[in-house]
Amino acid sequence: MTEIHAPEKLVSALLSVTESSVIPLTRTQVSSGNKLFGAAILTKSSLESVTVATNNESASPLLHGEINCIQTFFASPSKTRPATKDCIFFATHEPCSLCLSGITWSGFNEFYYLFTYEDSRDLFAIPYDIDILQSVYQVPSLGDSPETLAAKPLYNRKNKFFTARSIADVITTVQDPVEKARLTDEVVRVKAMYNALSDTYQKGKASGQETSSFFK
């Protein structure tokens, strides 16, 4: 991973784009029956956002927040958009198997996320990311027990194609304890904004709001 910026500057930029751009867009989409997953693409050099998008499963089951963001990014003129190797990819929630593949095939070699798979399952009642990765991709080795299999990572967060880190992991590398505490509080504050979005999504799901997604 390219260490261009201090971790506190990186975290601040990711939280800022989440609050100012991703959440307002997500709020609109959730009211239409879409899940609360969003994404953004930022330049590595300046940490300015290039593209922001959120889930649009009401149109297509493949338009997860990350995929929608990638599609929007590549719909912009090739002469003016930066190369993916010069960008940071950010996902509000740890990417599912579809979005991990989309990020990889697009050439983004560095991505971050705010919420983990466990958060998606436990806080937002959306367990499909873990379920699909375990059911489709987690092949037991000879001698694996259910316990040892469950202890294995669901994917390689550092590999030849990309390095993935949670915002929480980045904050652990901040040296200044005052700044570390401030950023930790900021994460809690921004995460709390998703509670209302989740309530809206769950109410829409309970009312049978239309969506093309197989996974409600």
Side-chain angles (χ1 to χ4, degrees):
M1 182 174 293
T2 307
E3 299 291 348
I4 298 176
H5 302 285
E8 50 267 41
K9 184 175 181 180
L10 173 62
V11 171
S12 293
L14 296 178
L15 293 177
S16 177
V17 74
T18 302
E19 182 173 4
S20 65
S21 300
V22 179
I23 287 177
L25 188 59
T26 304
R27 188 176 293 116
T28 299
Q29 289 297 91
V30 164
S31 66
S32 300
N34 296 292
K35 293 186 179 71
L36 64 165
F37 301 151
I41 296 168
L42 300 83
T43 61
K44 287 182 179 178
S45 58
S46 65
L47 296 179
E48 293 181 2
S49 63
V50 178
T51 307
V52 176
T54 189
N55 186 287
N56 193 21
E57 290 179 339
S58 57
S60 167
L62 297 183
L63 287 181
H64 293 194
E66 297 93 324
I67 299 300
N68 201 17
C69 192
I70 292 169
Q71 294 280 69
T72 303
F73 176 80
F74 280 101
S76 64
S78 59
K79 291 182 178 180
T80 57
R81 70 171 181 259
T84 53
K85 66 179 179 62
D86 297 323
C87 294
I88 287 170
F89 196 94
F90 170 67
T92 57
H93 297 67
E94 192 167 9
C96 71
S97 53
L98 168 66
C99 297
L100 286 173
S101 295
I103 291 167
T104 305
W105 278 102
S106 300
F108 295 100
N109 56 25
E110 181 177 344
F111 78 80
Y112 300 87
Y113 52 91
L114 180 59
F115 293 100
T116 65
Y117 290 140
E118 291 76 16
D119 291 331
S120 295
R121 179 192 63 198
D122 301 337
L123 299 179
F124 306 116
I126 304 175
Y128 313 115
D129 301 337
I130 289 179
D131 195 7
I132 291 172
L133 282 167
Q134 288 177 331
S135 300
V136 178
Y137 298 101
Q138 195 177 59
V139 180
S141 302
L142 185 65
D144 259 335
S145 66
E147 292 74 22
T148 59
L149 183 61
K152 290 182 176 180
L154 293 175
Y155 68 100
N156 293 318
R157 289 177 175 83
K158 186 172 184 179
N159 57 67
K160 66 184 286 186
F161 297 106
F162 61 72
T163 299
R165 295 173 75 187
S166 69
I167 285 182
D169 286 340
V170 178
I171 290 177
T172 64
T173 67
V174 175
Q175 298 299 311
D176 182 353
V178 174
E179 185 66 2
K180 181 181 289 187
R182 183 189 72 81
L183 289 172
T184 300
D185 289 343
E186 276 294 284
V187 166
V188 172
R189 185 182 66 83
V190 172
K191 279 186 171 183
M193 296 179 185
Y194 278 85
N195 294 335
L197 297 176
S198 180
D199 289 343
T200 301
Y201 171 70
Q202 295 300 334
K203 288 176 183 177
K205 183 169 68 171
S207 68
Q209 200 162 27
E210 281 193 31
T211 173
S212 65
S213 176
F214 176 79
F215 298 98
K216 306 296 193 291

